[in-house]
């Protein structure tokens, strides 16, 4: 478990990092190293070069804008868990962070790393998909913005070009009430299935905003806006949650692996979605009775 | 026997302070001058012919000193010592028999270079059909080792009474096929070994993460053709063993051979990947078991034929299979039985003892059969146990297995105590209530006899130092058990010293000439009694000197609690410090005391576990709500360490009941070779465990010690499967496979609960 030799670069600025990405062939970005280092040590990844971006201080902040947060790609998991801005404007992120690995992993792992690695069972890709986050991506020749739902292309595959780096993530401030839940075999393991829901109810207990997303049930985080639209205007009720969860569970085509069959994953998806919908609705009702706007 | 002030006290471990400060010294911390690193190229095939091995490129890589294959030298084709009737060559020759078998050895300046070189080695394999389960192995169409004439490498057989025929006398006969998956011990420290040769003295010094320095010394001496006196084996701090650091392995032969051959220090420290591929595994067995009972639940006969999927070579697996047979009776009266156990060779890494070593396997079968029989009779699962437990009036109880005579305790009383602690009626009410909320609660019960020691010896050698302190050398080899504390407690009582006056040195063949080692829960029983005996001898050796100081005749000298005095005159005494002063002044050699305790009498601890599990109906998430143990430890030296052993064993047992399984595909490829896929229980998964002691002295050894290292793990798979079944009583769930993972539980429930 020792990596093969690789060239090592440690740029001090984003500009320098982007130039290296353009110049150096077959380079991998090292951020928190929670996926890359094991892959190197097991010789599953054999890049010619590693570009260590841990010195790019430009990417370490969480900034507030009127309708969104701009999160630097190097912000660590524990910061997302603890940040007052995240807790206030994207509380579901702080909630989900508790499920990511263990304290040591959360201390090193970063938001940019997790999204770029694109493990379909990971928490942040799921929330990015649910919350319509946007990835700010730069290269030596320019910059672009990629919506989360166009970013994840397949298992560990993204729309990121070989010379591109995720620099910031635009996280819209929550407009609905959101909840997250997952099922993992042990605390800190990758979830077999995870579910996230964002919901708003109007004064008549009818749904006026609904988003559903699932992790671990396909090559990328699952979301289907047509279904969300279909249930807009429906009256909130436990029965409705069962109907939605069942419909979604029948739609997905989850994978089979050592730890779960497709059928078991389907059941988990149904159970988690139903439970998360009910919890989110309870929160939404509470928000309604308090009379305040959802935050 | 001396007054007991230290034995029985919950003294915190003396060894903890350096260990938690990071001052532990493990094999990987040992840096020998200019040491070479050994790395192995291992077989990627379960079964293949080796067509050609090309090491030219690897050999040319800067930093590589030597690359060895089996064809280079006869020594690499020699069979490993200590494995019969068939042992693998040190490096695979012509054929490979399991994924992970060493094929090429590389010596390089460090592990990075060596792994680069390993990438450059080109081995041409011709894959052969493989045998990956016992059903296939038994067909005999593919013999792994044709010279054996069969894939069955061992058959153990026991009969009592009318054996199989006695089933005719039963009112009800339950028959079941029970399986256990493979597990891997995964000690925190992987295996490792380093060696340095001193040519001037023809002496080889070996640093070895081993459970037995003396057995390692014998194997190494045999393999290298050296006298044992010229091989010194030192076990530095060892980070867990659980049985798998006690056998013969290719790495041991290679490191010691290379160190001597090249006259250069050599070290191999296995990494986690190698711990999954190359370290022996355990548990995997299939039992075809039948239990005949009377209408009232009384056992008439047990018939069991089982097969152990042992992997490609014996490893240490034959002992596991044989020990399984000796544990099939559990704590129950079984008048007739017919047991046949077969050790079967397959294309997997071999089996060797892992904590329990047959004890969990045997108990799993009898406990599950009792549950099945109770369910069939409509009898409570607790009741059927009470009706069959060995009673006090049966003691000593001859089990019908040679040399197994249960000797102490009150099994029914201890089991009833457990039931009282559980409060069965209250639990049944709670269970019904929870069911209304979609939560399934289930209770599992299982009992066991922990059979420990019963063979061989262990020794203790004491040396009185110049400052009045005593150093204790023993062949027992600590891997985390806390012997530096517990053996010191025993000696402190014998010699009337404080713990600070005693230093325990384990794991060095230079410290004591003979030893057996630490495994099978034997150290307190063997080394503990030997320690006391050696102490008595030291006292005798000291008496002439005390007599001289007290100006009396040695026969009149009495020793009590650290003081020597003339019989009847305790007011004038001398202590150990006075004696050392006198010895120094006289220019005398230090006083020593050396004794060996030998015994062929096993110890028999009894206990019972109860577990209450809570299962979410929708997700099948299982949570342990309560875990109760009533346990007989015999004489307890240190309650902290005893409970630590019981808790540790129980948690490991939960691993093999709920998560841990080495899975292989149909070609014999292991699929669970990292901690991502092989799931050990961690802190969050570990429940609170209530331990209640009911300690009965063992009559078979002077101090009354019993083994405690395996108690926790023995009933774990049985008790968890029982609890999960109980949670699904309404659909008559039947679980015949351990571990019961959520995936497996989902499938069984989905199929109506009765999948075999």
């Amino acid at each position: 478990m020792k990596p093969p030799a690789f060239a090592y670069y440690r740029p001090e600025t984003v500009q320098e990092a982007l130039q290296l990405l353009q110049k150096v062939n077959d380079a991998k970005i090292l951020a928190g190293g929670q996926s890359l280092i094991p892959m190197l040590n097991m010789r599953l990844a054999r890049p010619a070069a590693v570009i260590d971006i841990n010195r790019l201080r430009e990417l370490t902040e969480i900034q507030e804008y009127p309708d969104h947060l701009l999160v630097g790609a190097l912000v660590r998991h524990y910061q997302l868990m603890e940040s007052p801005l995240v807790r206030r404007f994207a509380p579901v992120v702080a909630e989900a962070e508790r499920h990511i690995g263990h304290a040591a992993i959360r201390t090193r792992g970063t938001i940019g790393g997790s999204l770029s690695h694109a493990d379909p069972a990971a928490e942040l890709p799921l929330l990015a998909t649910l919350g319509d986050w946007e990835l700010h991506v730069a290269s030596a020749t320019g910059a672009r913005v990629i919506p989360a739902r166009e970013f994840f292309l397949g298992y560990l595959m993204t729309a990121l070009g070989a010379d591109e780096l995720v620099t910031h993530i635009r996280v819209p401030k929550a407009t609905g009430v959101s909840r997250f839940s997952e099922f993992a075999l042990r605390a800190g393991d990758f979830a077999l299935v995870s579910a996230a829901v964002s919901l708003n109810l109007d004064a008549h207990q009818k749904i006026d905003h609904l988003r559903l997303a699932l992790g671990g049930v396909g090559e990328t985080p699952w979301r289907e806006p047509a279904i969300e639209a279909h249930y807009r205007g429906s009256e909130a009720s436990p029965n409705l949650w069962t109907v939605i969860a069942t419909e979604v569970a029948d739609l997905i085509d989850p994978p089979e692996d050592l730890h779960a069959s497709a059928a078991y994953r389907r059941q988990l998806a149904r159970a988690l979605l139903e439970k998360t919908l009910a919890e989110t609705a309870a929160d939404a009702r509470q928000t309604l009775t308090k009379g305040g706007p959802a935050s | 026997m001396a007054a007991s002030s230290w034995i029985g006290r919950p003294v915190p471990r003396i060894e903890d302070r350096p260990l938690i400060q990071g001052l532990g010294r493990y094999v990987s911390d040992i840096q020998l001058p200019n040491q070479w690193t050994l790395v192995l190229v291992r077989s990627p095939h379960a079964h293949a012919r080796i067509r050609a091995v090309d090491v030219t490129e690897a050999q040319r890589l800067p930093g590589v000193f030597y690359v060895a294959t089996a064809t280079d030298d006869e020594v690499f084709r020699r069979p490993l010592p200590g494995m019969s009737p068939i042992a693998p060559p040190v490096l695979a020759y012509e054929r490979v028999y399991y994924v992970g078998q060493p094929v090429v050895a590389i010596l390089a300046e460090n592990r990075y270079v060596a792994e680069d070189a390993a990438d450059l080695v080109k081995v041409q394999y011709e894959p052969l059909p493989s045998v990956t389960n016992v059903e296939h192995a038994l067909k005999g169409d593919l013999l792994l080792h044709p010279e054996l004439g069969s894939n069955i490498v061992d058959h153990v057989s026991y009969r009592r009474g009318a054996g199989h025929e006695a089933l005719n006398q039963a009112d009800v006969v339950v028959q079941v096929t029970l399986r256990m998956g493979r597990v891997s011990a995964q000690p925190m420290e992987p295996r490792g070994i380093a060696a340095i040769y001193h040519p001037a003295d023809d002496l080889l010094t070996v640093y070895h993460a081993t459970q037995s320095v003396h057995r390692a010394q014998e194997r190494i001496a045999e393999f290298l053709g050296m006298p044992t006196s010229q091989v010194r084996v030192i076990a530095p701090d060892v980070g867990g063993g659980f049985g798998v650091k006690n056998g013969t392995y290719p790495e041991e032969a290679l490191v010691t051979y290379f160190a001597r051959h090249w006259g250069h220090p050599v070290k191999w420290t296995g990494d986690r990947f190698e711990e999954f591929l190359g370290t022996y595994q355990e548990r995997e067995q299939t039992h075809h078991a039948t239990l005949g009972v009377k209408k009232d639940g009384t056992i008439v006969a047990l018939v069991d034929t089982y097969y152990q999927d042992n992997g490609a070579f014996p490893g240490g697996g034959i002992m596991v299979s044989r020990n399984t047979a000796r544990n099939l009776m559990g704590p129950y009266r079984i008048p007739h039985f017919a047991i046949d156990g077969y050790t079967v060779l397959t294309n997997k890494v071999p089996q060797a003892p892992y904590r329990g070593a047959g004890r969990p396997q045997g108990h799993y079968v009898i406990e599950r059969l009792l549950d099945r029989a109770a369910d069939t009779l409509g009898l409570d699962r607790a009741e059927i146990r009470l009706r069959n437990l060995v009673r006090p009036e049966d003691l000593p109880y001859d089990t019908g297995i040679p040399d197994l005579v249960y000797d102490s305790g009150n099994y029914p009383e201890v089991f009833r105590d457990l039931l009282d602690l559980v409060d069965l009626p209250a639990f049944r009410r709670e269970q019904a209530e929870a069911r209304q909320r979609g939560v399934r609660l289930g209770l599992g019960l299982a009992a066991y006899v922990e059979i420990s020691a019963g063979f061989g010896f262990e020794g203790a050698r004491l040396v009185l130092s110049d400052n009045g302190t005593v150093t204790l050398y023993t062949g027992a080899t600590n891997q985390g058990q806390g012997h530096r504390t517990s053996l010191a407690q025993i000696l402190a009582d014998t010699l009337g010293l404080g713990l600070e006056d005693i230093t325990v040195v384990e794991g060095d063949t230079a410290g004591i000439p003979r030893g057996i080692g630490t495994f099978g829960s034997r150290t307190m029983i063997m080394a503990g009694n030997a320690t006391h005996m050696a102490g008595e001898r030291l006292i005798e050796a000291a008496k002439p000197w005390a007599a001289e100081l007290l100006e009396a005749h040695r026969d009149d000298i009495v020793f009590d609690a650290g003081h020597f005095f003339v019989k009847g005159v305790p007011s004038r005494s001398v202590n150990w410090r006075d004696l050392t002063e006198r010895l120094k002044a006289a220019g005398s050699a230090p006083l020593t005391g050396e004794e060996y305790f030998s015994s062929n009498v096993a110890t028999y601890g009894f206990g019972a576990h109860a577990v209450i599990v809570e299962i979410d109906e929708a997700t099948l998430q299982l949570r342990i709500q309560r875990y109760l143990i009533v346990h007989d430890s015999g004489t307890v030296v240190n309650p902290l360490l005893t409970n630590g052993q019981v808790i540790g064993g129980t948690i490991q047992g939960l691993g093999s009941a709920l998560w841990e399984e080495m899975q292989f595909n149909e070609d014999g490829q292991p699929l669970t070779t990292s901690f991502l896929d092989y799931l050990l229980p961690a802190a969050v998964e570990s429940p609170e465990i209530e331990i209640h002691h009911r300690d009965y002295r063992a009559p078979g050894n002077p101090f009354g010690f019993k083994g405690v290292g395996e108690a926790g793990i023995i009933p774990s798979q049985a008790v968890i499967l029982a609890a999960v079944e109980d949670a699904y009583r309404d659909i008559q769930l039947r679980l015949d496979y351990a571990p019961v993972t959520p995936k497996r539980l989902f499938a069984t429930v989905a199929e109506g609960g009765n999948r075999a």
Side-chain angles (χ1 to χ4, degrees):
Chain A
M1 287 201 188
K2 300 290 180 211
F6 53 81
Y8 175 78
Y9 300 93
R10 191 170 59 193
E12 302 285 337
T13 63
V14 170
Q15 212 41 51
E16 198 188 328
L18 297 179
Q19 278 156 9
L20 281 166
L21 268 175
Q22 189 185 36
K23 191 180 77 184
V24 180
N25 270 333
D26 188 23
K28 274 272 176 202
I29 297 290
L30 172 67
Q34 298 305 296
S35 303
L36 180 61
I37 296 291
M39 288 171 82
L40 287 172
N41 284 344
M42 291 195 252
R43 298 192 174 221
L44 294 171
R46 293 161 178 264
V50 167
I51 301 173
D52 179 348
I53 60 165
N54 281 282
R55 295 213 171 175
L56 308 188
R57 301 192 56 181
E58 305 143 79
L59 306 186
T60 59
E61 279 175 29
I62 303 173
Q63 294 162 283
E64 188 192 348
Y65 290 86
D67 61 349
H68 69 273
L69 301 177
L70 196 63
V71 182
L74 267 185
V75 168
R76 316 268 167 190
H77 290 301
Y78 81 94
Q79 292 170 307
L80 292 172
M81 203 159 87
E82 291 172 2
S83 154
L85 285 174
V86 173
R87 283 170 172 269
R88 178 154 174 223
F89 296 113
V92 70
V93 176
E95 184 191 357
E97 278 290 343
R98 291 185 294 112
H99 297 274
I100 298 181
H102 305 275
I105 291 169
R106 294 193 293 266
T107 304
R108 292 298 304 162
T110 66
I111 182 171
S114 176
L115 295 174
S116 305
H117 187 57
D119 191 310
E123 289 80 357
L124 292 186
L126 172 71
L127 294 183
T129 304
L130 179 87
D132 284 334
W133 298 0
E134 291 174 342
L135 289 95
H136 292 209
V137 164
S139 72
T141 54
R144 60 180 178 136
V145 173
I146 311 176
R149 273 188 282 158
E150 292 164 27
F151 184 74
F152 304 110
L153 301 181
Y155 180 75
L156 308 188
M157 273 168 52
T158 68
L160 203 61
D163 62 342
E164 285 181 316
L165 174 71
V166 175
T167 60
H168 295 87
I169 296 92
R170 185 184 189 277
V171 178
K173 288 184 179 173
T175 52
V177 176
S178 300
R179 291 294 291 259
F180 169 91
S181 65
E182 71 173 41
F183 180 86
L185 289 169
R186 298 173 307 171
D189 281 346
F190 272 109
L192 293 184
V193 174
S194 52
V197 170
S198 170
L199 179 77
N200 258 355
L201 300 178
D202 66 16
H204 309 286
Q205 299 277 332
K206 292 205 164 115
I207 293 174
D208 73 0
H209 158 93
L210 175 69
R211 285 181 189 172
L212 312 165
L214 292 168
V217 300
E219 300 257 295
T220 59
W222 178 92
R223 197 177 149 200
E224 187 48 72
I227 291 183
E228 296 166 358
H230 176 78
Y231 287 101
R232 214 163 286 142
S234 301
E235 192 160 337
S237 76
N239 185 45
L240 182 66
W241 313 142
T242 310
V243 168
I244 296 176
T246 306
E247 181 180 345
V248 170
D250 288 344
L251 263 178
I252 55 175
D253 182 18
E256 159 131 34
D257 62 21
L258 282 177
H259 299 302
S261 61
Y264 179 40
R265 274 204 166 81
R266 198 184 298 282
Q267 169 155 324
L268 284 173
R270 178 164 44 230
L272 290 175
L273 202 51
E274 187 175 339
K275 167 177 164 257
T276 314
L277 276 162
E279 287 171 357
T280 317
D283 282 3
R285 271 192 211 101
Q286 220 173 12
T287 313
L288 268 181
T289 40
K290 274 191 211 149
S295 63
Chain B
M1 203 162 289
S4 187
S5 61
W6 287 104
I7 292 179
R9 273 168 64 174
V11 182
R13 304 198 323 163
I14 292 168
E15 41 272 82
D16 280 344
R17 195 180 167 85
L19 290 179
I20 61 182
Q21 288 180 325
L23 301 173
R25 193 160 171 261
Y26 298 86
V27 167
S28 63
D29 295 313
I30 286 165
Q31 307 299 331
L32 300 169
N34 302 313
Q35 72 191 10
W36 291 354
T37 294
L38 172 72
V39 158
L40 297 162
V41 177
R42 296 175 183 274
S43 168
H45 296 283
H47 198 194
R49 198 179 309 284
I50 300 174
R51 299 291 291 272
V53 184
D54 180 358
V55 302
T56 18
E57 262 188 86
Q59 186 80 68
R60 271 205 295 263
L61 193 72
V64 171
F65 302 117
Y66 183 61
V67 182
T69 69
T71 51
D72 287 358
D73 194 301
E74 166 277 328
V75 72
F76 302 121
R77 301 192 292 274
R78 261 183 229 165
L80 283 183
M83 198 189 292
S84 66
I86 186 156
V90 176
L91 290 173
Y93 178 61
E94 292 181 340
R95 279 209 294 177
V96 288
Y97 293 90
Y98 64 91
V99 174
Q101 188 178 359
V103 180
V104 177
I106 296 167
L107 289 170
E109 63 183 27
N110 61 49
R111 178 126 194 162
Y112 290 88
V113 172
E115 286 194 22
D116 288 347
D119 276 354
L120 297 173
V121 169
K122 294 185 189 73
V123 186
Q124 265 186 49
Y125 293 101
E126 178 194 335
L128 298 170
S130 54
V131 178
T132 56
N133 59 57
V134 291
E135 288 77 13
H136 182 191
L138 291 171
K139 281 189 199 156
D141 60 319
L142 205 167
L143 293 184
L144 254 61
H145 307 288
E147 60 271 44
L148 291 180
S150 165
N151 288 329
I152 296 172
V153 75
D154 189 62
H155 173 205
V156 59
S157 182
Y158 292 111
R159 294 284 183 282
R160 185 189 209 184
H164 190 278
E165 301 292 306
L167 287 174
N168 299 326
Q169 303 165 28
D171 295 326
V172 169
V173 171
V174 290
Q175 202 162 7
V176 63
T177 295
L178 292 165
R179 296 173 203 272
M180 310 174 88
R182 250 182 191 245
V183 302
S184 172
Q186 296 300 327
M188 204 178 294
E189 178 208 24
R191 288 185 299 116
I193 179 168
I196 180 168
Y197 181 64
H198 314 279
D201 310 312
D202 185 31
L203 182 73
L204 187 71
T205 303
V206 183
Y207 298 89
H208 204 338
T210 180
Q211 298 176 227
S212 171
V213 287
H214 290 92
R215 284 188 169 182
Q217 179 191 41
E218 282 163 24
R219 283 193 306 266
I220 293 163
E222 180 191 331
F223 185 78
L224 299 179
M226 292 173 79
T228 50
S229 60
Q230 298 311 105
V231 178
R232 179 183 178 188
V233 179
I234 298 166
D237 286 319
V238 178
F242 311 115
V244 298
K245 289 180 180 166
N246 194 28
T248 178
Y249 284 98
E251 295 88 353
E252 178 184 81
L254 287 166
V255 165
T256 53
Y257 167 77
F258 284 135
R260 182 160 177 249
H261 179 78
W262 294 104
H264 212 285
V266 173
K267 183 161 96 173
W268 173 77
T269 44
D271 63 21
R272 192 55 66 184
F273 196 41
E274 294 182 285
E275 197 60 26
F276 277 107
L277 293 181
T279 294
Y280 304 146
Q281 300 170 353
E282 227 246 52
R283 293 293 191 271
E284 189 171 16
Q285 288 181 353
T286 302
H287 290 254
H288 303 286
T290 309
L291 191 72
V293 291
K294 291 286 189 193
K295 278 193 190 108
D296 67 355
T298 313
I299 298 172
V300 176
L302 166 68
V303 176
D304 184 23
T305 300
Y306 62 89
Y307 303 94
Q308 176 165 299
D309 185 328
N310 199 73
F313 295 94
I318 291 172
M319 182 263 154
V320 175
S321 175
R322 291 182 183 176
N323 205 35
T324 299
R326 294 162 63 82
N327 278 271
L328 278 165
M329 308 312 137
Y332 305 105
R333 286 170 283 130
I334 304 181
H336 306 275
F337 55 71
I339 311 295
D340 288 284
Y342 298 92
T343 308
V344 182
L345 299 178
T346 59
N347 288 114
K348 294 178 187 166
V349 68
Q351 285 212 27
Y354 161 58
R355 198 173 199 168
R359 297 170 185 82
Q361 291 90 323
H363 282 82
Y364 171 69
V365 172
I366 186 64
E367 289 293 329
R368 303 280 40 234
L369 282 170
L370 282 173
D371 284 345
R372 220 40 70 83
D375 295 352
T376 308
L377 291 166
L379 198 62
D380 190 273
R381 287 175 169 190
E383 190 54 40
I384 199 167
R385 289 175 166 80
L386 284 168
R387 290 186 187 172
N388 288 289
L389 282 169
V390 170
R391 299 156 301 194
E393 61 266 33
D394 300 320
L395 300 176
Y397 175 78
D398 186 337
T399 58
I401 303 271
D403 303 323
L404 286 190
V405 181
Y406 299 168
D407 59 8
S408 53
N410 186 334
Y411 301 179
E413 187 177 279
V414 170
F415 193 75
R416 272 192 215 100
D417 286 352
L418 178 78
L419 297 177
D420 289 347
L421 288 160
V422 170
D423 192 351
L424 212 52
F427 168 74
R428 290 295 175 207
R429 282 195 300 277
E430 198 194 333
Q431 186 180 33
E433 233 170 70
R435 192 73 186 81
Q436 304 303 311
R437 291 181 277 120
V439 173
R440 291 180 172 273
L441 295 183
L443 169 72
L445 296 166
Y448 59 91
V449 174
E450 181 181 16
I451 307 167
S452 305
F455 65 93
F457 67 90
E458 200 59 77
R461 188 171 73 88
L462 307 180
V463 179
L464 181 65
S465 308
D466 278 357
N467 58 359
T469 66
V470 175
T471 303
L472 185 167
Y473 300 92
T474 174
T477 306
N478 189 54
Q479 315 119 47
Q481 289 86 350
H483 300 157
R484 283 175 217 164
T485 309
S486 51
L487 291 177
Q489 284 178 261
I490 293 170
L491 190 60
D493 273 356
T494 307
L495 299 182
L497 288 170
L499 290 191
E500 66 281 5
D501 298 321
I502 294 166
T503 306
V504 176
V505 178
E506 289 188 304
D508 186 350
T509 54
I512 185 164
R514 298 194 61 209
I516 291 191
T518 293
F519 51 89
S521 306
R522 67 191 301 277
T523 294
M524 275 313 104
I525 302 161
M526 306 307 291
N529 280 296
T531 293
H532 175 71
M533 289 161 60
E536 302 267 69
R537 186 159 283 261
L538 187 71
I539 291 166
E540 287 313 308
K543 278 185 177 172
W545 295 90
E548 191 198 311
L549 281 170
L550 294 164
E551 297 169 323
H553 192 274
R554 60 179 288 179
D555 293 345
D556 296 330
I557 299 296
V558 182
F559 176 82
D560 185 45
H563 298 277
F564 295 85
F565 52 88
V566 179
K567 197 190 253 170
V569 197
S571 54
R572 189 167 161 258
S573 70
V574 296
N575 62 21
W576 292 105
R577 212 168 294 264
D578 303 327
L579 285 174
T580 53
E581 289 305 322
R582 177 69 197 109
L583 285 160
K584 264 193 282 184
S588 168
L591 291 182
T592 62
E594 183 171 330
E595 272 292 349
Y596 293 81
F597 177 69
S598 302
S599 174
N600 290 324
V601 182
T603 71
Y604 306 93
F606 171 79
H609 290 203
V611 63
I612 294 172
V613 300
E614 179 187 311
I615 301 170
D616 180 312
E617 186 132 47
T619 62
L620 304 183
Q621 178 136 44
L622 182 148
R623 200 178 68 83
I624 291 169
Q625 199 188 71
R626 198 164 174 214
Y627 203 113
L628 270 161
I629 298 175
V630 187
H631 180 246
D632 163 21
S633 307
T635 302
V636 172
V637 178
N638 183 328
L640 274 182
L641 295 180
T642 301
N643 286 357
Q645 284 289 334
V646 175
I647 291 169
T650 302
I651 302 295
Q652 273 189 318
L654 290 177
S656 50
L658 290 169
W659 299 281
E660 291 181 47
E661 186 177 5
M662 284 304 299
Q663 299 187 52
F664 294 79
N665 74 7
E666 62 273 19
D667 299 324
Q669 283 293 335
L671 306 173
T672 48
T673 55
S674 84
F675 284 147
L676 264 184
D677 288 319
Y678 188 85
L679 308 179
L680 297 171
V684 177
E685 287 71 41
S686 303
E688 285 294 317
I689 293 170
E690 296 170 43
I691 303 176
H692 301 266
H693 283 272
R694 299 288 185 276
D695 298 325
Y696 298 85
R697 284 178 67 97
N701 68 83
F703 268 88
F705 298 137
K706 290 178 176 177
V708 295
E710 284 148 306
I713 207 167
I714 294 173
S716 47
Q717 290 170 309
V719 82
I720 289 290
L721 265 57
V724 175
E725 284 184 356
D726 187 52
Y728 286 88
R729 274 202 299 178
D730 51 330
I731 62 161
Q732 293 174 347
L733 180 72
R734 294 285 175 266
L735 299 172
D736 299 333
Y737 196 106
V740 52
T741 57
K743 179 184 183 178
R744 202 167 273 133
L745 180 59
F746 173 82
T748 313
V749 170
E751 288 170 26
N754 286 299
R755 201 178 68 150

